[in-house]
Amino acid sequence: MSMENLFAKIDRIAGGSKAGLIVPAEGLAHPKTQRAFAWITGLLAFELVLGVGAVVFAVIIARAGEPVPFAVWMRTVVVLGMTATLFYFFWRSTKGYYWGYQRLRLFAQIFPVITLVMAAIPGLYPVWMITEQIVFSLIMIGVGDFLTSDHMREVFRKPES
């Protein structure tokens, strides 16, 4: 199976009935689009570094003999999984897939809310994890801001089926 066939199957699962919809190429080539994609790349890369850093910090703390709550381990795994998923959505949106943009925009708007609500639960996470969650949320808000700009919404207008 070729890689493109594999990606097409993943797209079908992730994108549903909109998996094959592609936006016009001229919008993708526009300098504003390219600039937004460059910023989003940097922000998502920072999210990845932040997620890996949280895992490393948890391991260091655990190796030092400090208890690391199960919620912290789950959070670090979930953040890394989410970030990988966001990278896939982003990559597909850079290829013009309407569904990739829609999913990335949706999750960039939902994840900060969920993350901040979880951070607000008293005693669930240690202070360093709460700080990590706030930073994660701020970065995701930045990604969402780029994705919801008038220009990007115009580029990723729902194409005709």
Side-chain angles (χ1 to χ4, degrees), residues 12-66:
R12 182 70 180 134
I13 292 168
S17 64
K18 297 177 180 130
L21 297 179
I22 297 179
V23 300
E26 57 272 3
L28 294 174
H30 193 281
K32 283 185 178 180
T33 308
Q34 294 300 311
R35 205 169 22 256
F37 282 157
W39 273 100
I40 294 168
T41 299
L43 291 171
L44 289 178
F46 189 74
E47 289 282 13
L48 183 63
V49 169
L50 188 63
V52 171
V55 171
V56 169
F57 194 71
V59 168
I60 290 170
I61 290 172
R63 293 196 67 153
E66 292 290 321

Side-chain angles (χ1 to χ4, degrees), residues 25 36 83 87 104 148 161:
T83 304
F87 268 109
L104 183 61
T148 57
S161 301

Side-chain angles (χ1 to χ4, degrees), residues 1-10 13:
M1 174 186 304
S2 75
M3 291 303 287
E4 195 52 44
N5 285 341
L6 175 64
F7 293 139
K9 289 181 188 220
I10 294 171
I13 292 168

Side-chain angles (χ1 to χ4, degrees), residues 120-143:
I121 298 172
L124 183 60
Y125 297 117
V127 173
W128 68 267
M129 178 60 70
I130 293 170
T131 304
E132 184 268 347
Q133 287 188 276
I134 292 168
V135 172
F136 175 88
S137 296
L138 291 173
I139 295 167
M140 287 309 300
I141 290 168
V143 170

